[in-house]
Amino acid sequence: MRKPGDLRGRRTPVWSTWSKTVRCGPAHLIAPSAEAEIVRVVRRAAHQGLTVRAAGTGHSFNPLATTAGVLLDLRSHTGVTGIDHDARTVTVRAGTPLWQVSKALDRAGLALPNIGTLAEQTVAGAVSTGNHGTGIAHPPLSGDVTALRLVTADGRVRELDRWNDSEVFRCARTALGALGVLSTVTLRCVPAFNLRVVGGTTGLEALLERFEEWATGADHVALSWLPWSDAVTTRTLHVTDRPPTPRAARRRYGTTLEEVRCGLIGQVGRFSPRAVPLLTGAPSGDGTLSTTYVDTSHRVFTFPQPVRFLALEHALPLENVPEALRALRGALRRAGTYSPYSVLTRVGAADDAPLSPAYGRRTGYVNLTVPRTAAYLELLRIVEHVLREFDARPHWGKAHTATAEVLAPRYPEWDTFQRVRAQLDPQGMFTNDYLTRVLGPVRTADPRTDRVEVAG
């Protein structure tokens, strides 16, 4: 029998990520719909000595959200709670999907400045892992956070912004759930805008020779490259006053269909890896424009992604991207196994959250997606090994093997985050095996010696 006061929640034999490649069996799976419920669960978990992790749509490709304790499913904690037209901000509950935020803002004549390709991801998940779109003037989504409410291990709700607990606020913006449970998030907005999409092809080496010029030459840019090809497909987005092109909304489904095709080719590649280039093909590199149209910003940024896959991404100093891609070209061709998905490269502005992969530098993001089979895991290892040599930081929510020993030297304010973590969660309530691997154990400072020691 359940003891009086015990946590109540749906017991489940297994919780899994969206890709179905990571699973766990939490003792309690609870779906709060209000901040007061989150507070109650955290306090009860502390009383019972249970760990707590929060999850949204599960779009991380690693065990970020897993736990044997209490798993909070935030997908019921949703909704836009306020739009401030004067301040140009929107406040949302943490489990709100990005598509819902964009839809509400569009009705109000506003928009998020920049988002990634996945509209289904929750705001908390996107912010906590350093999720980003592309555009050299745009930081990750966490860089557009102006305030948040955080439920910490002592059951308190802390209201944070740049003027109130500013150091904790900076750390909490990209915190992997290690500081507590995000309850609400306030994001910066801009007036609603349209984007003119221009797609084309060009030679890989020609683009790498002028990479800085290309990266800064449009509001948002991306390149897709199939490693067996010497050509790349480019996509540049320009803010425009032009109205949406008739039937423009259908254009985003072209990328969806391409993802479906890649998924099917990936299944063939399990048995015949060398058939993948033949089935996938390659761009011509002759500069022919393949797409030009205008649509609302959030519909251009995102597209439906029905095919489940695995992905790796690393954030590099912008200036290191050309040599990194050249090194990948040789390494991937020598591997002899190819993913049907392109290597995707995007760019972004610097961020000041201590654990942001874009911390302190203009950034190039290099992503490889692969089918969900063991035959392709070696490709992820190859890419990680190469990119690590170019001062790369792995995306916190994607596949990687880095440990705290590898990561700490790559983050100038690593100790700042560790100090705040020890302050807010000294007993490690919000940790799990993944966080222990990438952040190390919770550490505390001895006030008599100022030495940092492992807690407990």
Side-chain angles (χ1 to χ4, degrees):
M1 291 185 60
R2 191 188 302 272
K3 295 179 180 179
D6 275 0
L7 288 167
R8 295 182 180 273
R10 179 166 59 88
R11 289 183 177 271
T12 177
V14 67
W15 174 89
S16 66
T17 57
W18 171 83
S19 65
K20 305 297 183 183
T21 54
V22 176
R23 295 174 173 82
C24 72
H28 304 277
L29 178 60
I30 301 173
S33 58
E35 181 178 85
E37 292 181 67
I38 298 174
V39 171
R40 179 186 66 81
V41 171
V42 169
R43 288 176 176 173
R44 286 296 183 186
H47 178 70
Q48 296 176 29
L50 297 173
T51 57
V52 177
R53 296 296 293 159
T57 53
H59 273 86
S60 290
F61 298 102
N62 58 48
L64 176 63
T66 59
T67 182
V70 179
L71 185 60
L72 286 172
D73 182 343
L74 296 180
R75 289 177 297 173
S76 295
H77 185 50
T78 65
V80 174
T81 64
I83 296 176
D84 188 329
H85 284 83
D86 294 331
R88 287 185 180 167
T89 61
V90 59
T91 300
V92 303
R93 296 186 182 96
T96 309
L98 287 168
W99 68 262
Q100 194 176 111
V101 182
S102 294
K103 187 175 180 179
L105 288 175
D106 193 50
R107 289 195 299 263
L110 297 170
L112 295 174
N114 194 27
I115 51 177
T117 61
L118 187 63
E120 286 73 24
Q121 192 171 25
T122 63
V123 169
V127 167
S128 297
T129 58
N131 198 46
H132 60 90
T134 187
I136 200 62
H138 297 277
L141 184 64
S142 61
D144 288 322
V145 174
T146 64
L148 53 83
R149 290 171 65 87
L150 180 72
V151 181
T152 52
D154 56 6
R156 294 172 54 199
V157 178
R158 301 186 64 148
E159 297 188 37
L160 305 171
D161 57 37
R162 291 190 182 276
W163 301 274
N164 182 25
D165 282 345
S166 60
E167 185 174 80
V168 176
F169 170 71
R170 285 196 306 118
C171 290
R173 283 184 11 235
T174 304
L176 289 70
L179 303 184
V181 181
L182 288 179
S183 174
T184 66
V185 178
T186 301
L187 295 160
R188 182 175 70 91
C189 304
V190 297
F193 61 100
N194 293 339
L195 289 167
R196 180 170 62 92
V197 180
V198 179
T201 59
T202 188
L204 172 64
E205 194 57 42
L207 188 143
L208 296 182
E209 289 290 340
R210 58 181 184 86
F211 184 78
E212 169 90 13
E213 175 188 350
W214 171 80
T216 59
D219 296 296
H220 311 271
V221 299
L223 71 85
S224 299
W225 165 57
L226 294 166
W228 58 84
S229 172
D230 291 321
V232 296
T233 300
T234 60
R235 192 171 189 249
T236 59
L237 313 179
H238 308 262
V239 176
T240 181
D241 293 328
R242 298 181 188 178
T245 303
R247 296 180 294 280
R250 300 180 184 178
R251 300 293 188 105
R252 63 204 294 257
Y253 292 100
T255 306
T256 301
L257 292 174
E258 180 62 21
E259 293 244 331
V260 172
R261 187 173 77 97
C262 287
L264 294 173
I265 294 173
Q267 296 305 308
V268 176
R270 294 172 58 189
F271 307 102
S272 180
R274 294 187 180 276
V276 171
L278 297 175
L279 294 171
T280 307
S284 65
D286 62 4
T288 303
L289 293 181
S290 56
T291 54
T292 302
Y293 67 95
V294 175
D295 201 2
T296 306
S297 61
H298 65 89
R299 286 202 295 264
V300 171
F301 288 140
T302 65
F303 62 91
Q305 299 180 34
V307 178
R308 301 177 193 273
F309 51 77
L310 285 173
L312 168 149
E313 184 177 77
H314 280 56
L316 292 69
L318 187 72
E319 63 273 15
N320 288 0
V321 172
E323 284 307 309
L325 290 181
R326 290 183 178 109
L328 277 181
R329 177 173 55 193
L332 290 175
R333 288 179 179 180
R334 288 191 297 271
T337 299
Y338 295 104
S339 171
Y341 297 91
S342 299
V343 174
L344 173 66
T345 301
R346 293 173 288 176
V347 302
D351 193 9
D352 68 346
L355 287 192
S356 172
Y359 179 88
R361 64 195 193 192
R362 293 190 308 167
T363 298
Y365 300 96
V366 178
N367 180 97
L368 176 64
T369 296
V370 300
R372 299 178 302 158
T373 62
Y376 291 100
L377 294 181
E378 184 59 27
L379 287 181
L380 298 182
R381 296 188 185 98
I382 290 171
V383 171
E384 180 177 21
H385 176 76
V386 170
L387 295 182
R388 195 176 286 181
E389 298 301 311
F390 292 90
D391 197 17
R393 302 164 179 162
H395 189 301
W396 293 113
K398 297 192 178 182
H400 70 95
T401 64
T403 62
E405 290 73 22
V406 171
L407 294 166
R410 297 167 190 258
Y411 285 89
E413 284 201 80
W414 184 266
D415 289 341
T416 300
F417 186 89
Q418 298 290 10
R419 184 174 65 252
V420 170
R421 183 188 182 200
Q423 171 193 337
L424 296 187
D425 186 22
Q427 302 304 316
M429 172 188 283
F430 297 110
T431 196
N432 64 4
D433 289 344
Y434 174 77
L435 289 189
T436 299
R437 190 192 95 201
V438 300
L439 298 181
V442 177
R443 309 180 82 82
T444 58
D446 185 335
R448 296 166 299 178
T449 65
D450 203 32
R451 290 191 311 173
V452 175
E453 299 178 347
V454 178

